[in-house]
Amino acid sequence: MAGFISHMRSMLSARTVARQVFFLQVAIVVLLVVAAMVALVLQSRTDSEREARTRSLAVAKTFASAPGLEEALAGPDPSAVLQPRAELARVGSDVAFIVVMTPEGVRYTHPDPAQIGRKYIGTIAPAAAGGIVRETVTGTLGPSIRAVVPVVGQNGEVIALVAAGVTSDQVSGIVEAQLPLLFGTAAAALALTTGGTALVSRRLMRQTHGLGPAEMTRMYDHHDAVLHSVREGVLILDGDRRLVLANDEARRLLDLAPDAPGSPALDLGIDPDMARLLDSGRPAADEVHVAGDRLLAVNQRPTDRDGGPPGAVVTLRDTTELRALTGRADIARERLRLLYDAGICIGTTLDVVRTAQELADFAVPRFADFVTVDLADPVVLGEKPAGRGADVRRVAFRGIRDDSPLYPTGSLISFVPSTPQAAGFGTGKVVMEADMAALSGWQEQDPANARRLLAYGIHSMIAAPLRARGVVLGVATFWRAEKPEPFEEDDQSLAEELVARAAVSVDNARRYTREHTMAVTLQRSLLPRALPQQTAVDVAHRYLPAQAGAGGVGGVGGDWFDVIPLPGARIALVVGDVVGHGLHAAATMGRLRTAVHNFANLDLPPDELLWHLDELVARIDEDEGEHGNEDVDEDENGYGGDGGAVAQVTGATCLYAIYDPGSRLCTLARAGHLGPVLVRPDGSSEFVQIPGGPPLGLGGLPFETVELELPEGSTLVLYTDGLVEDRGRDIDEGLELLRRAVAHPGRSPEETCRAALECLLPGRPRDDVAVLVARTRVLDADRTAAWEVRSDPSAVAPVRAEATRTLESWGLHEEAFVTELILSELVTNAIRYGTGPIRVRLIRDRVLICEVSDGSSTAPHLRRAAESDEGGRGLFLVAQFAERWGTRYTAEGKVIWTEQIIPGRMPGRG
């Protein structure tokens, strides 16, 4: 303690900055404490008076609304009843008085009983009128803060008044009771802040080393000169290698950020070699380091010598005499950066025109004022140029202005031999015209336009052919107009390298375009060109190939759809997807579609058809796994047409549905495919829950079917996963969007198809998409006729007679004889070789259909009977007279069906 006091005395006796700061802080603290005490006293008094007003009003209102008050006022002696109540309430609520009085102010109660019956001192008129009075009045108990409220009777009139108040002595007592605490708190705050000020002054004394104001001012002047006037960079680093100070010249030379002070040397964003030097702290003398486009001589000295603080002082000097020696290095570095950036910016897509435009966009204005790119027409279509001719089409243009006299985009140009473009296109070498005003032959292409080019200011050009893999694809021309200096030999070599890199991207895009075009052509040829005519459903469909990405992802895939007419006026709806893109996926899709057609011709149920298709895909996978690499055809550059190898089919999916317009039954099965959406005639929609089978080619698990009875006008929406899958949303969200998009009553299939695509595919799809929308119809009752047949040969004649009458009612008189013959043979065979029950059905559709069903699963076979045979000619006759015939199996047995052409109507066959 004695040491602290002696230190304080020495500090007060010295004329230092610390002493002045100490006295200033003490004075400020005293003023703040005094002001705080006065404010607290005033605030305490104000709060006490406000609390007294609030309490008096609350007590008066509470007593005025107390139960029994009105009965006591109506009694013979109100004072006898109310006086004890008022005193009890006064003591409990800690107020000075509660006075009950008549509306005229005659007291019923008072703390001094002698005042009962006397007139109340104060304002009561507003309260007698139903209002409230709050005031400070000197009454019988002295100055008081009081409130007067009315007592309203049941008839709504004021029958009495209640006054409650707190005397000023009570309020003053509350304030006086708080004064010791306020003074104690102020004294403690004063002592605490004075001690803190002393500590701060002591620290300031140590940091300023006891300097006075004049010494401090002189030191600041020196510091300011180092920061702002010295034309050599100065850095000060502390012992942790963090930047403490940097003058203006150092900030300029190193391009330091405003918040650089406090950052470690390695995080200053300077050259790594220089950063490592600063971080090491080792002494350095005139070491040359790079700082942006400058070469700096760096000197570093530690500051902890002779007992100084840890750290280092660094000086930086701009060695301008060395810049001339590094000029060529800077130019080379800039050219390397330009070529590096070109590799990033050019060739981001697999589109020929877009790649050419990227070359033009990149070169302006970094290398030229105007750039044009001209390609041979076959290149744009994905083919090789036809020859060495100079007939090209302008596919890209970019300039610093849009009003140049250069040929516009889309122009077909035939360069004459004397032009640099024709020379470059023919020889494959870069040609430069450093001074176009010399008219060395380039103007012969179009003399009038040549004059316009010179008048416009274009004075220099470089024509660089786009050459890739030994083929010249076109020519890029770089023009200068705003930049006064002409192109030089270095620019010519740079243009050659720049165009060589772009040419590879253009050729890759050309090759992809060729393959994509071939795949699109194949895909389109394998998909249905026109849907078959049929009466079971109204159909709409879409197929959208995918948009190709930068890495070749996308393009034509293996999605397909089909509508296949089946016997009995039924229809098969098919949607499938082969995983992958390109020629192989399209070819595989065609094989699977053909297989589905073949299996459908056998009239197989959906689950059995998918089982056969699964077996076929498995065999295809086995064959391609053994022989695929041997069957790869190379293109003209030695690359496989679909990536160099044939992929397996595993991953194909399929959904197969059969709809019968006669029974309105729809049978569905799926192999790894998404379930369809069913839209009922009222517009409600749901996903059909079909047991999920594995994708085609995996094998091992059976496929299951589900059977639905659909009302007429129901809509089935079949689709591939490209419609609902997207990188930006979950597949469940896509499915829900599809369900809501198609859930509208009264829409045609075409409108439903368009609504689904507009909702889920606002742009070009990333995966190919197939959509098939079918709205169901129902065969009218007057277009079918059916009979049960007894298992007796005598029943054949009545069936023939009924069939004849039915055909006559349909207006098909000419078909009656052939139909009788067909029915006679089929019914006789069913009676002789089959089992009951036997049924006959006639259907008048686009063709006349005869069906004979029985309970036997044995199918008849067509054969040619010998001359000595007594039978075996029935099916031969049926096949001769019917357009088509066949057998299909059901859960109850089999159905033998025939089709006959109705004159004047074409059959609806696929």
Side-chain angles (χ1 to χ4, degrees):
M1 184 66 181
F4 179 77
I5 294 175
S6 63
H7 177 73
M8 291 290 294
R9 287 176 180 173
S10 63
M11 184 175 65
L12 293 175
S13 62
R15 300 186 61 181
T16 63
V17 174
R19 176 188 175 188
Q20 296 176 3
V21 171
F22 174 79
F23 282 116
L24 178 61
Q25 289 181 334
V26 169
I28 293 174
V29 168
V30 171
L31 289 176
L32 290 176
V33 170
V34 172
M37 288 183 58
V38 173
L40 289 173
V41 171
L42 295 177
Q43 182 65 36
S44 177
R45 185 173 186 82
T46 301
D47 292 343
S48 299
E49 291 179 356
R50 185 185 300 110
E51 198 278 335
R53 287 189 178 91
T54 303
R55 189 194 312 168
S56 61
L57 179 60
V59 171
K61 286 184 176 181
T62 303
F63 196 88
S65 60
L69 180 61
E70 185 174 355
E71 288 79 5
L73 291 171
D77 189 2
S79 295
V81 178
L82 297 177
Q83 177 66 12
R85 294 184 185 178
E87 287 303 299
L88 182 62
R90 179 181 67 79
V91 174
S93 59
D94 194 21
V95 295
F97 63 88
I98 298 178
V99 175
V100 182
M101 66 190 86
T102 66
E104 293 76 20
V106 179
R107 300 187 182 102
Y108 288 129
T109 66
H110 196 275
D112 182 6
Q115 301 296 328
I116 296 175
R118 295 184 179 181
K119 266 296 225 186
Y120 173 76
I121 300 173
T123 304
I124 62 173
I132 296 175
V133 177
R134 288 191 289 189
E135 61 181 350
T136 301
V137 179
T138 301
T140 57
L141 299 179
S144 60
I145 300 170
R146 60 182 65 182
V148 183
V149 299
V151 179
V152 182
Q154 294 182 356
N155 58 359
E157 296 181 356
V158 178
I159 60 176
L161 304 176
V162 176
V166 178
T167 63
S168 299
D169 293 339
Q170 288 178 299
V171 175
S172 300
I174 294 173
V175 176
E176 292 170 358
Q178 295 177 348
L179 289 179
L181 177 62
L182 294 177
F183 282 113
T185 303
L190 180 59
L192 181 61
T193 53
T194 302
T197 301
L199 294 176
V200 171
S201 299
R202 181 181 179 184
R203 181 180 180 86
L204 182 61
M205 174 71 76
R206 185 171 61 252
Q207 291 181 343
T208 59
H209 302 285
L211 297 176
E215 290 85 355
M216 292 289 293
T217 301
R218 187 164 54 253
M219 182 177 290
Y220 175 80
D221 291 339
H222 296 165
H223 178 269
D224 188 68
V226 172
L227 282 181
H228 306 298
S229 300
V230 175
R231 303 318 300 167
E232 190 172 80
V234 177
L235 301 175
I236 298 179
L237 305 173
D238 61 14
D240 296 327
R241 306 307 172 196
R242 292 180 177 272
L243 181 63
V244 176
L245 181 142
N247 69 349
D248 293 347
E249 183 67 7
R251 290 179 178 272
R252 184 183 69 83
L253 294 176
L254 299 179
D255 195 20
L256 296 178
D259 58 348
S263 301
L266 295 176
D267 296 338
L268 294 177
I270 60 179
D271 182 76
D273 291 338
M274 185 186 299
R276 285 191 290 270
L277 171 62
L278 301 183
D279 185 66
S280 67
R282 64 176 176 82
D286 288 335
E287 289 188 8
V288 178
H289 290 271
V290 176
D293 57 352
R294 301 180 179 91
L295 291 178
L296 303 181
V298 182
N299 294 272
Q300 181 168 254
R301 293 290 183 271
T303 58
D304 56 358
R305 295 179 179 180
D306 302 327
V313 174
V314 181
T315 60
L316 309 170
R317 182 164 46 89
D318 191 357
T319 57
T320 55
E321 66 275 9
L322 297 179
R323 292 182 181 177
L325 300 178
T326 59
R328 288 192 174 272
D330 292 340
I331 295 175
R333 184 168 62 249
E334 181 62 28
R335 292 183 183 277
L336 289 175
R337 182 183 296 275
L338 183 69
L339 293 175
Y340 173 77
D341 293 343
I344 296 176
C345 300
I346 301 174
T348 61
T349 68
L350 287 172
D351 182 271
V352 173
V353 175
R354 177 60 187 162
T355 303
Q357 187 62 49
E358 288 174 346
L359 169 61
D361 294 342
F362 175 80
V364 176
R366 299 178 64 173
F367 181 67
D369 296 326
F370 299 91
V371 175
T372 58
V373 182
D374 308 313
L375 298 178
D377 266 345
V379 175
V380 180
L381 302 176
E383 302 297 333
K384 284 185 177 181
R388 290 278 183 175
D391 291 341
V392 292
R393 187 173 300 278
R394 182 147 296 173
V395 297
F397 167 81
R398 181 64 184 269
I400 56 176
R401 298 196 302 271
D402 295 330
D403 59 345
S404 72
L406 296 169
Y407 294 138
T409 303
S411 303
L412 182 62
I413 307 171
S414 180
F415 288 109
V416 299
S418 61
T419 60
Q421 290 84 354
F425 197 90
T427 63
K429 296 181 179 179
V430 178
V431 179
M432 181 176 67
E433 285 284 349
D435 184 10
M436 295 175 60
L439 301 177
S440 59
W442 67 270
Q443 77 283 356
E444 295 180 8
Q445 173 71 30
D446 188 344
N449 193 58
R451 289 190 293 272
R452 287 193 293 269
L453 287 174
L454 294 176
Y456 188 77
I458 295 178
H459 58 80
S460 182
M461 73 169 166
I462 296 177
L466 287 97
R467 182 186 180 94
R469 300 182 178 96
V471 178
V472 178
L473 308 173
V475 61
T477 308
F478 304 91
W479 316 77
R480 276 190 178 174
E482 294 291 327
K483 297 180 181 179
E485 59 275 7
F487 286 117
E488 300 175 348
E489 291 185 3
D490 289 342
D491 297 319
Q492 181 175 342
S493 62
L494 178 60
E496 185 175 8
E497 293 187 46
L498 183 63
V499 171
R501 299 194 178 198
V504 174
S505 299
V506 171
D507 191 53
N508 288 338
R510 175 192 68 83
R511 287 153 49 80
Y512 173 78
T513 301
R514 182 197 59 194
E515 181 177 332
H516 182 72
T517 303
M518 293 172 59
V520 168
T521 303
L522 177 62
Q523 178 83 336
R524 296 293 187 186
S525 66
L526 295 176
L527 287 173
R529 298 185 181 180
L531 296 183
Q533 297 179 348
Q534 42 80 36
T535 57
V537 290
D538 293 324
V539 178
H541 59 88
R542 292 287 191 282
Y543 172 76
L544 301 177
Q547 178 181 13
V553 178
V556 174
D559 290 14
W560 91 92
F561 64 90
D562 227 326
V563 177
I564 307 172
L566 298 177
R570 296 169 304 136
I571 198 74
L573 306 174
V574 191
V575 167
D577 184 6
V578 176
V579 175
H581 298 85
L583 287 173
H584 180 264
T588 302
M589 177 274 294
R591 299 170 72 178
L592 295 184
R593 180 171 177 254
T594 302
V596 171
H597 268 271
N598 293 334
F599 293 141
N601 285 336
L602 298 177
D603 213 347
L604 301 176
D607 55 340
E608 189 174 344
L609 182 142
L610 291 181
W611 181 83
H612 284 289
L613 198 62
D614 179 69
E615 289 289 314
L616 174 63
V617 171
R619 288 197 299 272
I620 294 175
D621 280 345
E622 292 176 1
D623 294 341
E624 292 186 346
E626 295 176 1
H627 308 292
N629 291 334
E630 302 174 1
D631 297 335
V632 177
D633 292 331
E634 293 186 349
D635 63 7
E636 71 274 12
N637 292 303
Y639 292 90
D642 194 24
V646 179
Q648 291 187 336
V649 185
T650 302
T653 64
C654 184
L655 171 66
Y656 188 81
I658 297 177
Y659 173 68
D660 187 346
S663 62
R664 294 187 292 110
L665 292 179
C666 183
T667 307
L668 307 97
R670 65 187 179 105
H673 205 85
L674 295 171
V677 182
L678 171 61
V679 184
R680 301 189 181 277
D682 61 359
S684 61
S685 63
E686 61 180 335
F687 286 96
V688 179
Q689 300 301 317
I690 308 173
L696 299 173
L698 297 183
L701 293 175
F703 300 99
E704 300 182 47
T705 62
V706 65
E707 191 172 74
L708 305 173
E709 184 174 345
L710 303 180
E712 183 177 6
S714 299
T715 300
L716 281 173
V717 182
L718 288 71
Y719 53 93
T720 55
D721 57 2
L723 180 66
V724 295
E725 284 187 343
D726 188 84
R727 294 180 182 178
R729 64 169 180 255
D730 187 72
I731 188 172
D732 292 335
E733 181 183 354
L735 291 171
E736 180 60 22
L737 286 174
L738 173 62
R739 188 192 65 79
R740 291 200 301 264
V742 300
H744 291 275
R747 276 183 176 173
S748 66
E750 187 65 30
E751 293 171 338
T752 300
C753 192
R754 184 166 54 249
L757 293 176
E758 290 176 352
C759 177
L760 282 95
L761 298 176
R764 294 181 63 184
R766 300 185 64 87
D767 191 11
D768 49 339
V769 176
V771 182
L772 181 63
V773 180
R775 185 173 62 188
T776 63
R777 297 175 179 174
V778 176
L779 282 177
D780 297 334
D782 59 353
R783 298 177 62 183
T784 63
W787 304 277
E788 294 282 344
V789 180
R790 292 179 292 104
S791 186
D792 187 341
S794 62
V796 176
V799 170
R800 291 200 306 267
E802 288 292 336
T804 300
R805 284 192 293 270
T806 300
L807 293 178
E808 291 177 351
S809 67
W810 289 347
L812 303 177
H813 306 279
E814 297 180 359
E815 283 70 36
F817 174 76
V818 174
T819 303
E820 284 188 22
L821 178 61
I822 291 174
L823 286 179
S824 177
E825 294 297 334
L826 295 181
V827 172
T828 300
N829 284 345
I831 295 174
R832 181 176 301 175
Y833 305 109
T835 60
I838 301 173
R839 297 183 181 89
V840 174
R841 185 170 69 157
L842 293 180
I843 302 174
R844 178 172 58 89
D845 193 39
R846 302 186 65 82
V847 293
L848 178 60
I849 302 170
C850 299
E851 294 182 347
V852 177
S853 61
D854 63 76
S856 172
S857 60
T858 302
H861 295 283
L862 180 64
R863 66 184 181 87
R864 183 179 295 274
E867 293 182 0
S868 59
D869 290 344
E870 296 182 0
R873 296 177 176 81
L875 282 180
F876 182 78
L877 294 175
V878 169
Q880 292 295 315
F881 287 105
E883 179 71 15
R884 298 171 62 207
W885 76 279
T887 305
R888 73 170 180 270
Y889 295 95
T890 65
E892 296 80 17
K894 67 176 183 297
V895 176
I896 310 296
W897 55 269
T898 64
E899 292 182 359
Q900 300 168 242
I901 295 178
I902 299 176
R905 303 189 66 177
M906 294 298 295
R909 299 196 306 187

Tab-separated table of all heavy atoms in Angstrom, residues 12 110 123 302 859:
chain	number	residue	atom	x	y	z
A	12	LEU	N	1.884	12.503	-9.426
A	12	LEU	CA	1.249	13.810	-9.335
A	12	LEU	C	2.265	14.946	-9.416
A	12	LEU	O	1.954	16.051	-9.846
A	12	LEU	CB	0.437	13.924	-8.040
A	12	LEU	CG	-0.791	13.004	-7.954
A	12	LEU	CD1	-1.443	13.113	-6.588
A	12	LEU	CD2	-1.800	13.372	-9.032
A	110	HIS	N	-63.622	9.073	8.488
A	110	HIS	CA	-62.402	9.870	8.528
A	110	HIS	C	-61.494	9.248	9.576
A	110	HIS	O	-61.974	8.717	10.598
A	110	HIS	CB	-62.686	11.326	8.893
A	110	HIS	CG	-61.529	12.234	8.563
A	110	HIS	ND1	-60.475	12.439	9.399
A	110	HIS	CD2	-61.286	13.016	7.458
A	110	HIS	CE1	-59.612	13.276	8.860
A	110	HIS	NE2	-60.099	13.656	7.647
A	123	THR	N	-61.660	19.171	-4.161
A	123	THR	CA	-62.538	19.240	-5.336
A	123	THR	C	-63.319	17.935	-5.452
A	123	THR	O	-62.736	16.840	-5.429
A	123	THR	CB	-61.717	19.459	-6.601
A	123	THR	OG1	-60.930	20.644	-6.439
A	123	THR	CG2	-62.615	19.608	-7.817
A	302	PRO	N	15.817	-7.798	-37.251
A	302	PRO	CA	15.075	-8.044	-36.005
A	302	PRO	C	15.161	-6.844	-35.072
A	302	PRO	O	16.152	-6.091	-35.090
A	302	PRO	CB	15.766	-9.276	-35.415
A	302	PRO	CG	17.122	-9.297	-36.028
A	302	PRO	CD	17.002	-8.660	-37.387
A	859	ALA	N	-54.759	-75.958	-77.470
A	859	ALA	CA	-54.947	-75.081	-78.616
A	859	ALA	C	-54.998	-75.897	-79.902
A	859	ALA	O	-54.245	-76.859	-80.052
A	859	ALA	CB	-53.811	-74.063	-78.695
